[in-house]
Amino acid sequence: MVNAGAMSGSGNLMDFLDEPFPDVGTYEDFHTIDWLREKSRDTDRHRKITSKSKESIWEFIKSLLDAWSGWVVMLLIGLLAGTLAGVIDLAVDWMTDLKEGVCLSAFWYSHEQCCWTSNETTFEDRDKCPLWQKWSELLVNQSEIKTILSGFIIRGYLGKWTLLIKTVTLVLVVSSGLSLGKEGPLVHVACCCGNFFSSLFSKYSKNEGKRREVLSAAAAAGVSVAFGAPIGGVLFSLEEVSYYFPLKTLWRSFFAALVAAFTLRSINPFGNSRLVLFYVEYHTPWYMAELFPFILLGVFGGLWGTLFIRCNIAWCRRRKTTRLGKYPVLEVIVVTAITAIIAYPNPYTRQSTSELISELFNDCGALESSQLCDYINDPNMTRPVDDIPDRPAGVGVYTAMWQLALALIFKIVVTIFTFGMKIPSGLFIPSMAVGAIAGRMVGIGVEQLAYHHHDWIIFRNWCRPGADCVTPGLYAMVGAAACLGGVTRMTVSLVVIMFELTGGLEYIVPLMAAAVTSKWVADAFGKEGIYEAHIHLNGYPFLDVKDEFTHRTLATDVMRPRRGEPPLSVLTQDSMTVEDVETLIKETDYNGFPVVVSRDSERLIGFAQRRELILAIKNARQRQEGIVSNSIMYFTEEPPELPANSPHPLKLRRILNLSPFTVTDHTPMETVVDIFRKLGLRQCLVTRSGRLLGIITKKDVLRHMAQMANQDPESIMFN
Amino acid sequence: MVNAGAMSGSGNLMDFLDEPFPDVGTYEDFHTIDWLREKSRDTDRHRKITSKSKESIWEFIKSLLDAWSGWVVMLLIGLLAGTLAGVIDLAVDWMTDLKEGVCLSAFWYSHEQCCWTSNETTFEDRDKCPLWQKWSELLVNQSEIKTILSGFIIRGYLGKWTLLIKTVTLVLVVSSGLSLGKEGPLVHVACCCGNFFSSLFSKYSKNEGKRREVLSAAAAAGVSVAFGAPIGGVLFSLEEVSYYFPLKTLWRSFFAALVAAFTLRSINPFGNSRLVLFYVEYHTPWYMAELFPFILLGVFGGLWGTLFIRCNIAWCRRRKTTRLGKYPVLEVIVVTAITAIIAYPNPYTRQSTSELISELFNDCGALESSQLCDYINDPNMTRPVDDIPDRPAGVGVYTAMWQLALALIFKIVVTIFTFGMKIPSGLFIPSMAVGAIAGRMVGIGVEQLAYHHHDWIIFRNWCRPGADCVTPGLYAMVGAAACLGGVTRMTVSLVVIMFELTGGLEYIVPLMAAAVTSKWVADAFGKEGIYEAHIHLNGYPFLDVKDEFTHRTLATDVMRPRRGEPPLSVLTQDSMTVEDVETLIKETDYNGFPVVVSRDSERLIGFAQRRELILAIKNARQRQEGIVSNSIMYFTEEPPELPANSPHPLKLRRILNLSPFTVTDHTPMETVVDIFRKLGLRQCLVTRSGRLLGIITKKDVLRHMAQMANQDPESIMFN
C-alpha cells in the first residue's frame, strides 16, 4: 500500500476506477435492456471461468458446475412447474367440489376422490368465491411476460411473492367458475419459478439476457403443463411469447417442458394417467366435402377473434381511463356474481369450462349417457361399440342445441368482460369453449342433414345410409382451434398443440384449414393478436418481430434532435468538468450521452450510460482523493495536459462504450428497425460522413412505427 | 424529347443512370449475398406494388396475386415434392424387385404389386447397377443446401436438369443396395422444386433473400416426405438446415410439408395408407431401470457419430487431395461391387435398409414369422395376441444375433466409405440402421437376462415371471435415434421425428435420454456435425448460427488492411476519373469499394459494389454521350465544379450505398460476428472517430474464426 502510494499518485487514482464498483451493469425498473451488451458481458464471464478452470481442480469443478447450471435450472423449473400445476389442478378440483359439499372422512379430498355425494349441502358457497379474490391484486396476462422477454425490466413481477399469491389465487379463480382459463397464469407461475431458480445461479442472476433465455424456456414449460403438450408448448414459446430464442434455448426449453409434463403426469391430478387435458379418440376419418363446414368454422373463429379483441380492448381502455379502474375488487365481485347467477341455470355453463370442452370434443359411443349423445338407436343394430352409424337425434340433442346456443352467447359476452380484470386469467379455455360450442352445433347440424338427406349430391359420394360419416366432436375441435387461432393468431403451435391433444396426424388437415382461414379472416380486420393489443394498450416498449415496417422514411427523419430542437447533449472526451456533467445529468433525463472528440469536430468516440456516469462520479467523490467539482473528466487513454494547479482529473474510460452502434442518416428506417429487432439495441447513433448528427432510441423507433400506422405515438410510454 | 434535349444537357445525362440498367442487383456465382440489401429491395418492390394497386383494378388483382404467390409456391412445392417422392418410392420398389425378377403381365409393377415370384431369374442383375450410376455425376449432400440457404450462390445446383437427373439417379442408387438413404437427396429434390417454382414468380426469382425463404420451406417438405413427419421436417429445417427463418416462413414451411406428406400418402407407395416410414406400435410401457441401457445406447450413438465423422471426413479429404478423386465412376462401381458381394450372404444386409430398420423396430407378436421373433413359446399359454410375456430365445434369435453383429460391422465400415461419393446419398437411413442393429441386440440381451434372472435386484421390482417387461424393438428405436443424433447433432427435431414415427408421447423420455447422451458424448470429441464438417471440408463460407465465438479479439485485429499492408483501396466522392476507377477495378479483385470525401479526411460517405461499378461504367460508355476516360466520376448530389473544357462528368450516386454498415475499431469480434450472422452482412467498414480505417468481409470473419479454432484459415475459399 505504501509503495503504491509512493508511486505516481495520479496513476494510482486513475486505475482505481478500473475495478468494478457496485451496481454497474444493472438496469432501472421499467427500462429496456441492451441485448448486445448483456451478451458481451456473458462472454466475458465465460472467458474468465474458462481461463480460471485451468488453475486448480476446484476451479475446474466450478466451471463444470457453471456449464451445467443451465440444465439444472431447466430440471428444477420443470419439476416445480409440474408440481405446482398438479397441486393447482388438485386444489381446483377440490374447491370446485367444495361448492357441492365437503368430504367428511378427509376434507382435502375432492368430490370424486371422496366418492361421496351429499344432497344436503347447497350451492350457496358459490357466492362466497368473489370474496377470496380480494387477495389477487395482480393484473396478469401474457402480454407482460412477452414484454419482459423482449428485454424490459419490471421488478417484482416475477418475484417469490407473486409466485405464491398467484398459485393460491389461480386455484380460487379457476374454481370460482369465471370465464377464464389457467394457461396464462400457469405461464406466469412457470416464469416465476424460472426467475426464482435463475436467481440461484450467478450466471443467470447477473445477466438480464441469459435470464430471459431461462424465462423463455419456463414459458414453454407453463404451456406444457397447461395442456400436456410439450412440443406445442415449445413452439408456442418460440412463435408467440419469446423474443430472443437461440437454438440452445430450444433444446433446453424442450427439456423443461418434458420434465414439467411428466412431473404433472406422475402427480396424476385428473386420475386418468393422461398427459393431455382433452384426450379424444375418433373412429371415422373425415371427408373432403367436410372441408366446407370446417372453413366456415374458420371464418367464425376469425370473426370471433376480431370481435373479442376489439370489444375487450375497448372495455379495458374504458377501465383504464374512467373511474371504473379504481374499484378492481368491486368489479371482480360484480362480474363473478353476474357470471354465477346467469351461468347456473344452463347445465353447459354451470359445469367447469374444461369439462364442457371435454364433453363437446367427445365422440358419442354406444354407452354414452351425455345429453349430447341422446340419439335414437336402431334396436336391430348389433355392431361393435366403436363403429356406430349416424343416427337421428333424440329429444336430448335438440334440448342440448338450445342450451348450447344460449351458452355460446353467454360465453362470448362474459369472456369479453372477464379477460383483463385484476385476477389471474387465461384466454385459451374460454376461446376454445366458444369455438367448441359453435363447432359441435355445426357438427350436429351436418350430421342430421347427412342422415336425413342421404340422396343429396354432396352427401351421396361419401355417406351411405347406415354409415358413420360425421363426427360432431371433430367439428367441436376444429371450431375450438379456429377460435383460439382468431384470438391469439398462433399458427404452427396451435396446430401442434391440437395434434398433441388428438395424437394423430389424421385430423391435421381440417385443423389447419380452419386455423389458416381464421387467421386470414381475423388479419383482414386487424393485424394484432390479443397479446399485442394489450401490450399496445399498456404502452410497453415491445418491438414485435412479426410487424413488417415498409415505409420509406430514413434514419434522419426519426433521430433526435429534430429540426429546430436544441442540439444533442454530448460529452466531450477531455474538456468537461465533473460539475458540467452533473449539471447535464440533472437537467436532462436521457439514459446516456454520446462522447465526441470536441464540440467542433463532432467526431464520435463512444457512448456513456447515465446510470454508470452517476455511479462513477458518486464513487469517485466518496472514495477517490482530490476529485472536486472542478476536476476535468476525461475518456481518453492518457489524461489531458492540464495547468499545474488544476485538481486531479477523473478517468472514466472504463465506463465508456467504445463500440456504440452507428448508422448513417441515409439508412432506411426499415433497416434500422431490423437492426434494433435483431440485435436488441437500446439506442443507436446517427452519423453523416463521420460526424455525429443525432440519436435514435428504441422508444423513438416505436413511436415512429406507431405514427406510421396512424396510431398515437405518445402511447409508447417507457424507455 | 426535344424539350428535354434543350434543357440542361448534363442534367439529362445525369438522370440517365437513375433508371435501372440490366443485371444490377444480381450476384456472381460462388459469391455471398447481402441479406440486408435483399430485404430492402423486397420492401421497395412491395411498396411499389402497394401504391400501384390503388391505380386500377388490374393492378389491384396483380397485387393480390403477388401477395398470394408465397402460398401458391408452397402448394406447388408440396404437390410436386410429394409426387416425386411417391414416384421415387414406387420406382425404387420396382427396381429393387427387378433384381429378383420382372412382372411379365406389366413390367412397371413391382414384385409385390405383381404378386408373381420367379425362381428362374437370378440375382445377377445386381451387378449391373453400378453402370447406371454413370449418369449421376453430382456430389450431393445437405451441406451444399445448407450453404446455399445461408446466402451463397451456386448456380445450376438447383436447376431443372439437376431435378431430373437427381430423381432418376436416386431411384437407381437407393435400389442398388448401397448403404445410403434417400432423405438427403429428397431434400435436394424438394429444393430443386422450390427453385423451379420460385423462378415462376418475379417476387422470388429476382430476390435472393426471398428465394431462400422458399428453399427453407422446400427443405422441410423434403424431410416431410422422406419420413412422413411434417412437424419434424419443419423443425429439422429450422434447427439444422436453415439460416434465415422468419416466423412467416415457419407457417408456410409447415403448409408445404403437410401438402407434400398428404400428396405422398394419396399416392400411397407403401400400400399401407401410412404416412410414416416406420410405423410401430408397442404394447408395454418402459421402466425406469431401462434408462440405463438406453443411456448406454446413447453413448454408443455418440461414439459412432464421432467415429463416422472423423473417418468419413478423412476419407473425403483423401478423395479430394489424391488421385482417387479423378475416378468417381470407378469408385462408385468398386464400392457398389464390394457392397453387393459382401452384403449378399447375410440376410440382414441383403434386404433394403428401410426394411431392415422396420424389422428391427418391430415388436414380436405371436404370429410373427421373422427370425428375430423365433422365441420358444410356452404351449400352455393362451393369452391374447398382443400381450405376450417374455420368452426364452430360440435358435433363430441366436442365429440372428450373430448375423446382426456381422451386419453392424459391415454397415459401419461401408457407410463411412459410401457417404460423400459422387452419387445422391442420404445419411439418416444408414445411421439409423447402425443404431437399430445395436439397439435390437442390446434389447434382446436385456430381455433374455430379465427372463433368466428374474431374481436379480434390478429386475425384481419391475419384471415378474410371465410378464412382458422388455420390448427389444423399442431398444432398436432408441439406438437409431442415438446414432442419428450422434452423426447429425439434431436434438429437438430428432425427438419430434421419432415422436411422429411412433405417434405417442409415451416413449419420448427414452428417446430424449438417448439423444441427449449421444449429443453430449459426440460433442465432447468435437462440436461439428457431419454437415458442418462437410461444409468446412469444402471451404464454403458458412457462418454457423450455433458456433459460439468467445475470443477477445477486436475488429481492428481482423480488418484489412493489416499493419504493413498497402492502404485500403477507396474511391473519392468527386475527384477520380473513369480511367482511374477502371484501373483500380483491373488491379484489384475486391467486391466493392468504400467511397470517402477525400483521401485526406478519410470520412466515409458510402460503399459502391464492384459489379455495379463495372456495369454502370460500361453502360454509360455505350449509351451516354460525352463519357470518356477523362470524365470525372462523382457520387455527390451535385456535379463538382469543373473547368469549362473538361468532359462530361459521370453521376454514380444511384449505385452508391449510402448506408454502409460501420463498426468502430474497438468493437469486440464477438459483436461483429453476431452482426454478420443476424443481419446477414457481406462486409462491414471499420472506423475510428469517424475516419475510415479498414474493411471486414464475411470471408475475413470466417478466416479469423478458423484461425482462433486452430484451423487453417486458408480453408475458407469463396467470397
Side-chain angles (χ1 to χ4, degrees), chain B residues 211-338:
Chain B
R211 189 198 292 263
R212 269 150 190 81
E213 282 179 26
V214 175
L215 295 182
S216 297
V223 177
S224 166
V225 288
F227 292 100
I231 301 174
V234 172
L235 284 177
F236 176 75
S237 175
L238 169 69
E239 190 186 3
E240 204 52 39
V241 190
S242 300
Y243 184 81
Y244 176 65
F245 207 97
L247 282 172
K248 211 161 85 184
T249 312
L250 188 70
W251 187 215
R252 288 195 182 158
S253 302
F254 193 50
F255 179 70
L258 264 186
V259 172
F262 277 88
T263 308
L264 177 60
R265 199 187 64 163
S266 65
I267 294 177
N268 199 0
F270 304 116
N272 58 0
S273 271
R274 293 275 179 218
L275 201 55
V276 297
L277 191 55
F278 312 112
Y279 180 80
V280 281
E281 214 171 358
Y282 301 129
H283 305 288
T284 18
W286 57 277
Y287 301 89
M288 267 301 169
E290 287 185 288
L291 272 183
F292 180 69
F294 292 152
I295 286 172
L296 270 189
L297 284 173
V299 173
F300 172 79
L303 293 176
W304 149 251
T306 308
L307 175 82
F308 174 76
I309 292 173
R310 296 236 170 133
C311 296
N312 180 259
I313 289 295
W315 180 247
C316 287
R317 178 160 292 132
R318 197 183 177 80
R319 184 186 293 130
K320 254 189 113 158
T321 49
T322 65
R323 290 177 55 201
L324 183 69
K326 289 181 191 155
Y327 309 104
V329 178
L330 185 70
E331 186 192 1
V332 170
I333 293 175
V334 169
V335 170
T336 316
I338 294 175

Side-chain angles (χ1 to χ4, degrees), chain A residues 488-564:
Chain A
T488 60
R489 309 293 160 82
M490 301 194 306
T491 53
V492 181
S493 46
L494 174 65
V495 176
V496 173
I497 288 177
M498 287 294 179
F499 162 63
E500 281 186 271
L501 294 185
T502 52
L505 277 174
E506 198 61 48
Y507 301 104
I508 267 196
V509 172
L511 288 171
M512 211 168 136
V516 170
T517 315
S518 146
K519 188 175 155 64
W520 282 337
V521 169
D523 276 353
F525 291 102
K527 283 270 178 198
E528 281 184 341
I530 184 72
Y531 303 127
E532 286 87 34
H534 271 267
I535 286 173
H536 271 174
L537 180 68
N538 291 320
Y540 293 130
F542 181 76
L543 195 52
D544 197 346
V545 191
K546 276 169 275 183
D547 275 352
E548 300 253 339
F549 186 86
T550 54
H551 301 280
R552 232 179 172 152
T553 45
L554 298 178
T556 184
D557 305 325
V558 179
M559 71 177 192
R560 305 276 169 140
R562 299 279 161 78
R563 231 162 273 170

Side-chain angles (χ1 to χ4, degrees), chain B residues 24 66-67 91 105 108 221 294 362 523 527 578:
Chain B
V24 159
D66 179 77
S105 53
W108 59 88
F294 292 152
N362 204 12
D523 276 354
K527 285 270 178 195
V578 169

Side-chain angles (χ1 to χ4, degrees), chain A residues 215-226:
Chain A
L215 295 183
S216 297
V223 177
S224 165
V225 286

Side-chain angles (χ1 to χ4, degrees), chain A residues 371-392:
Chain A
Q371 190 186 340
L372 276 170
C373 294
D374 179 26
Y375 290 93
I376 298 162
N377 280 309
D378 184 348
N380 304 327
M381 239 17 173
T382 48
R383 291 272 202 98
V385 180
D386 277 355
D387 190 23
I388 303 167
D390 286 353
R391 297 161 291 173

Side-chain angles (χ1 to χ4, degrees), chain A residues 43 258 512 603 670 674 689, chain B residues 43 258 512 603 670 689:
Chain A
T43 317
L258 263 186
M512 211 168 136
R603 291 208 327 250
E670 183 207 339
D674 218 39
S689 33
Chain B
T43 316
L258 264 186
M512 211 168 137
R603 294 209 323 251
E670 183 207 340
S689 29

